[in-house]
Amino acid sequence: VKVGSIAPSIALDKNNSIAYIGLSECYTLLSGLGLYPIIDSWAKVYELTHTAHALNPNSPEVHFSFANIKYWTEMDLEGAYISAMQAIE
């Protein structure tokens, strides 16, 4: 999935939490591959995930994204585990 292919989805429907998470996942991958600055990438992931959470707090995709944030940026293994478990409930 390309970043440019998701942004129009958000423009069409600003309440589409899955589009925000899809874009968040793109930035996570770009950061991990070293193709986008790490600090900028994770700032976008954080912002997009929180936007998606505000729209759909029960979304498994949102909780999985929180697990990634907690694991990769906060080194919060317990918090990442809790968020991952919420994603699969």
Side-chain angles (χ1 to χ4, degrees):
V1 174
K2 295 181 183 179
V3 170
S5 68
I6 297 173
S9 297
I10 293 172
L12 289 172
D13 182 2
K14 294 195 183 316
N15 293 319
N16 184 351
S17 66
I18 297 301
Y20 288 98
I21 289 300
L23 191 53
S24 170
E25 289 177 1
C26 288
Y27 282 109
T28 300
L29 180 62
L30 289 171
S31 173
L33 295 174
L35 299 174
Y36 200 85
I38 292 172
I39 292 173
D40 296 339
S41 178
W42 283 104
K44 288 183 181 290
V45 171
Y46 186 88
E47 176 187 349
L48 291 162
T49 300
H50 278 76
T51 299
H53 183 257
L55 294 170
N56 187 357
N58 297 318
S59 165
E61 294 84 1
V62 168
H63 290 290
F64 181 73
S65 190
F66 277 136
N68 276 326
I69 291 169
K70 290 173 184 176
Y71 182 83
W72 292 109
T73 68
E74 300 170 7
M75 300 304 161
D76 177 3
L77 300 180
E78 183 178 350
Y81 175 79
I82 291 167
S83 289
M85 294 307 293
Q86 288 174 324
I88 61 174
E89 289 180 352

